[in-house]
Amino acid sequence: MRGIGRVLVIVYAVMALGATGRSFVQIARAFDQAPLAYTLSALSAVVYIVATLALILSGRPGWYRVAWVAIAFELVGVLVVGTLSLTHPSLFQHPTVWSQFGSGYIFIPLVLPLFGLWWLIAHRPSARPAEILPEGPTA
């Protein structure tokens, strides 16, 4: 992985660390104050970790699909949580990584999955040619 792909993985790794740290502190300090928001922060951390690993391993069988699922889930999560945090602020009295479309993270959570999906489209793993079997009877 080179160039923009490497930058993408680094940004995902930073988001994974940030979301993990944030959710850990939120859950340890005051989970009872905002269980939905803090659970969503933990979920976003898991999604960023899975997306980071899947992008790194996206050239291997199966991991490309895992990357697609994780990043598409991330985009849906950002859009749903972002919308709900604006339309139903009582649900999100405490901020999450994805609330207000990631405004607490300079909107990186909103833009990152778009770049991630673009990168996956542009860097599909090449199909491996079928192995040539020797002709003739097999023993």
Side-chain angles (χ1 to χ4, degrees), residues 71-136:
I71 294 172
F73 183 87
E74 172 195 3
L75 180 60
V76 169
V78 171
L79 294 175
V80 169
V81 172
T83 301
L84 288 174
S85 66
L86 295 176
T87 61
H88 295 82
S90 61
L91 291 174
F92 300 95
Q93 294 175 355
H94 294 253
T96 71
V97 175
W98 292 340
S99 60
Q100 297 180 350
F101 303 105
S103 64
Y105 287 82
I106 318 167
F107 297 100
I108 291 171
L110 179 62
V111 177
L112 190 58
L114 299 174
F115 280 113
L117 293 174
W118 165 79
W119 191 88
L120 287 171
I121 291 168
H123 295 87
R124 291 186 180 134
S126 60
R128 293 185 181 150
E131 290 186 38
I132 300 174
L133 298 175
E135 292 184 26

Side-chain angles (χ1 to χ4, degrees), residues 3-57:
I4 192 73
R6 185 173 289 170
V7 172
L8 187 65
V9 167
I10 290 169
V11 174
Y12 264 102
V14 168
M15 288 301 295
L17 288 171
T20 301
R22 178 184 191 138
S23 66
F24 178 78
V25 169
Q26 288 174 326
I27 290 170
R29 285 190 175 174
F31 182 75
D32 59 330
Q33 292 178 11
L36 175 62
Y38 297 161
T39 300
L40 287 171
S41 284
L43 176 64
S44 69
V46 170
V47 170
Y48 287 123
I49 291 168
V50 170
T52 302
L53 292 173
L55 283 170
I56 291 169
L57 302 170

